[in-house]
Amino acid sequence: LSQIPNGMFDLVICDPPAFIKKKKDLATGQIAYVKVNKEAFKKVAPRGVFFSSSCSGLLEESDFRSILTKAIKGSG
């Protein structure tokens, strides 16, 4: 992602692997999700669309929303 210019795409879909496979992975997995979403969000052109997903079954929806909020706020 670091080699792709920022603001290049009208649509970005961020579909990383499951970073949280066990409960012990929760903290590090959440950090990884913030990092990858932050970098992916930077690639969205103004007025573009960003989709993100997580296949980590142990990650609560509210936590995923918090991750995305952190990523978006930190991408600017």
Side-chain angles (χ1 to χ4, degrees):
L1 283 173
S2 63
Q3 297 178 9
I4 299 170
N6 291 345
M8 187 167 185
F9 300 100
D10 292 328
L11 171 64
V12 173
I13 300 170
C14 184
D15 187 18
F19 292 135
I20 304 169
K21 295 183 179 182
K22 299 177 182 168
K23 285 186 180 186
K24 69 176 185 71
D25 301 329
L26 275 169
T28 57
Q30 288 184 23
I31 292 167
Y33 279 122
V34 169
K35 183 177 178 180
V36 73
N37 278 282
K38 177 181 173 181
E39 290 305 312
F41 189 76
K42 290 178 183 179
K43 309 311 170 193
V44 181
R47 303 182 61 80
V49 177
F50 180 73
F51 287 98
S52 185
S53 64
S54 166
C55 58
S56 294
L58 295 172
L59 184 63
E60 297 289 331
E61 182 179 342
S62 60
D63 292 330
F64 190 58
R65 287 182 185 177
S66 176
I67 285 167
L68 294 177
T69 299
K70 289 177 189 174
I72 291 168
K73 287 183 178 180
S75 68

